[in-house]
DNA sequence: ATTATTAGATAGTGATCAATCACTTACTAA
DNA sequence: TTAGTAAGTGATTGATCACTATCTAATAAT
């Protein structure tokens, strides 16, 4: 059973990879299945041998994208020390943003698509990521694990936006090294 | 000079309001100018008397959306006391999300649209909002104003997502009342 | 050698959409 | 009364799209 470049399992992933690129660059609704096919070096109708509809292809692309993020975070959680956990999760996220920018752009698009199947996939992805982070923070004995998880996700969302619209100053104020300690002064004097 | 329902200035805003709804609900690229026209109670070709292209209509819709947010925040900044500034900005944002959800959904969409004119409008909107918040924090003598601004925007982005995909638990961990103080313990023991 | 199966392409369809055009109606000013 | 204009529409068009139906060439099993 020779696994050459033409097995249908390879073609399937070829198409998904092409779709991630084209959807991210062009926008899901404006992107055409012909563009996806061209990027995957096959004819346009052949896409429909593997995905019965364009939406099914989008769902497969989202699945790839969320799986990558979930698997990556799980790796980090397994190997990182409690003290370095959050820093390494952030580093891992930055790696994903660098190496798989299109997958992030696709996730962002899916957040505003109102089709129920897409929303459900997006919800499930977020839920699972949040659960992994939250559980890891708890097991690392990080206090206010819920709030820390929320802030981790929030900063992630802001990074996505800043990156997508090429506005790096949006991220300014991240990680100055002693932010929390000097904020403390403020809060102790305020309340 | 009686201001009846047929002045061209009214028609223009009618069309923009309709476009905000239709674009938000259906997605900009999938939405049709016929749908916008129907919602504005005019014929489809008449849309093009006011907006030369569909993209020009989107830009006008984004302008309305960003202006509302900017004007709202400027009002708050003018009237709020330094101690209540951030809390009132948050309240104002929640009001906008409640009363103008479609405008937020449109802004979210515009973040992933790669057309240069749209990206520029989105960048300018974000820049101006950030500048207002940052300057207000500084004038209120809030320490680490840059970091606080970034966190304000970041939480806003997460709220947008949580609302758009109907996943409220994503926001869990917001405002427990003493988050920073107990986080402090952790950091002082860690570093 | 023959047949069955897989991998893929060509050709096409009905539907849809942004944008244009030609036209009407109704009001206003000289 | 006439000339001009603002407001608005129905019909159309060229392009595009998701999706289908049908064919072909190669490979593999019998």
């Amino acid at each position: 059973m020779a696994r050459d470049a033409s097995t249908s399992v390879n073609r399937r992933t070829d198409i998904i990879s092409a779709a991630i690129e084209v959807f991210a660059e062009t926008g899901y609704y404006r992107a055409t299945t012909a563009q996806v096919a061209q990027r995957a070096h096959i004819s346009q109708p052949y896409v429909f041998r593997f995905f019965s509809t364009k939406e099914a292809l989008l769902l497969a692309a989202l699945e790839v994208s969320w799986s990558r993020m979930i698997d990556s975070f799980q790796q980090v959680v397994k190997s990182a020390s409690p003290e370095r956990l959050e820093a390494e999760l952030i580093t891992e996220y930055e790696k994903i943003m660098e190496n798989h920018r299109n997958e992030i752009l696709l996730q962002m698009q899916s957040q505003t698509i109102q089709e129920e199947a897409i929303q459900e996939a997006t919800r499930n992805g977020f839920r699972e990521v949040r659960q992994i982070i939250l559980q890891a923070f708890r097991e690392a004995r990080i206090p206010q694990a819920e709030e820390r998880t929320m802030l981790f996700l929030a900063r992630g969302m802001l990074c996505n936006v800043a990156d997508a619209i090429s506005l790096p100053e949006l991220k300014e104020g991240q990680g100055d090294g002693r932010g929390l300690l000097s904020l403390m002064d403020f809060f102790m004097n305020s309340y």
Side-chain angles (χ1 to χ4, degrees), chain A residues 145-166:
Chain A
E146 255 128 18
E147 177 153 19
R148 298 294 287 181
T149 300
M150 183 275 292
L151 286 173
F152 178 87
L153 297 175
R155 277 193 297 253
M157 295 302 97
L158 186 67
C159 286
N160 287 351
V161 174
D163 184 67
I165 66 174
S166 308

Side-chain angles (χ1 to χ4, degrees), chain A residues 16-187:
Chain A
I16 293 174
S17 297
I20 288 170
E21 291 179 24
V22 173
F23 289 172
E25 289 168 13
T26 314
Y28 168 66
Y29 287 121
R30 197 178 37 154
T32 71
T33 56
Q35 288 173 298
V36 173
Q38 187 172 34
R39 188 89 49 127
H41 308 292
I42 57 165
S43 66
Q44 180 261 340
Y46 200 44
V47 171
F48 290 87
R49 283 259 181 275
F50 297 88
F51 304 94
S52 61
T53 64
K54 191 186 177 187
E55 185 179 295
L57 176 53
L58 172 59
L59 285 169
L62 285 173
E63 164 72 22
V64 165
S65 172
W66 283 109
S67 290
R68 183 187 314 284
M69 192 170 294
I70 287 160
D71 293 350
S72 298
F73 283 158
Q74 267 167 345
Q75 276 307 112
V76 170
V77 165
K78 246 193 286 186
S79 64
S81 68
E83 307 86 46
R84 298 201 25 80
L85 175 62
E86 185 172 12
E88 289 195 22
L89 284 171
I90 289 172
T91 301
E92 187 63 29
Y93 193 63
E94 283 166 351
K95 268 192 216 162
I96 295 173
M97 287 188 66
E98 220 183 283
N99 302 324
H100 303 280
R101 184 170 186 269
N102 286 333
E103 293 178 8
I104 301 286
L105 282 170
L106 195 61
Q107 288 183 3
M108 290 178 72
Q109 279 185 45
S110 74
Q111 293 162 15
T112 62
I113 292 178
Q114 304 289 333
E115 317 266 298
E116 182 46 34
I118 311 296
Q119 289 235 358
E120 196 191 331
T122 307
R123 259 196 305 272
N124 290 341
F126 263 110
R127 241 198 300 258
E128 194 160 353
V129 166
R130 174 175 180 273
Q131 205 47 48
I132 288 166
I133 308 285
L134 180 59
Q135 193 191 321
F137 279 2
R138 281 178 175 152
E139 283 171 9
R141 295 272 178 272
I142 293 178
Q144 304 295 140
E146 255 128 18
E147 177 153 19
R148 298 294 287 181
T149 300
M150 183 275 292
L151 286 173
F152 178 87
L153 297 175
R155 277 193 297 253
M157 295 302 97
L158 186 67
C159 286
N160 287 351
V161 174
D163 184 67
I165 66 174
S166 308
L167 190 63
E169 69 202 78
L170 215 57
K171 290 187 267 187
E172 253 168 51
Q174 296 230 34
D176 70 335
R178 61 178 292 279
L180 278 168
L181 293 166
S182 65
L183 276 175
M184 181 189 72
D185 296 339
F186 177 67
F187 273 86

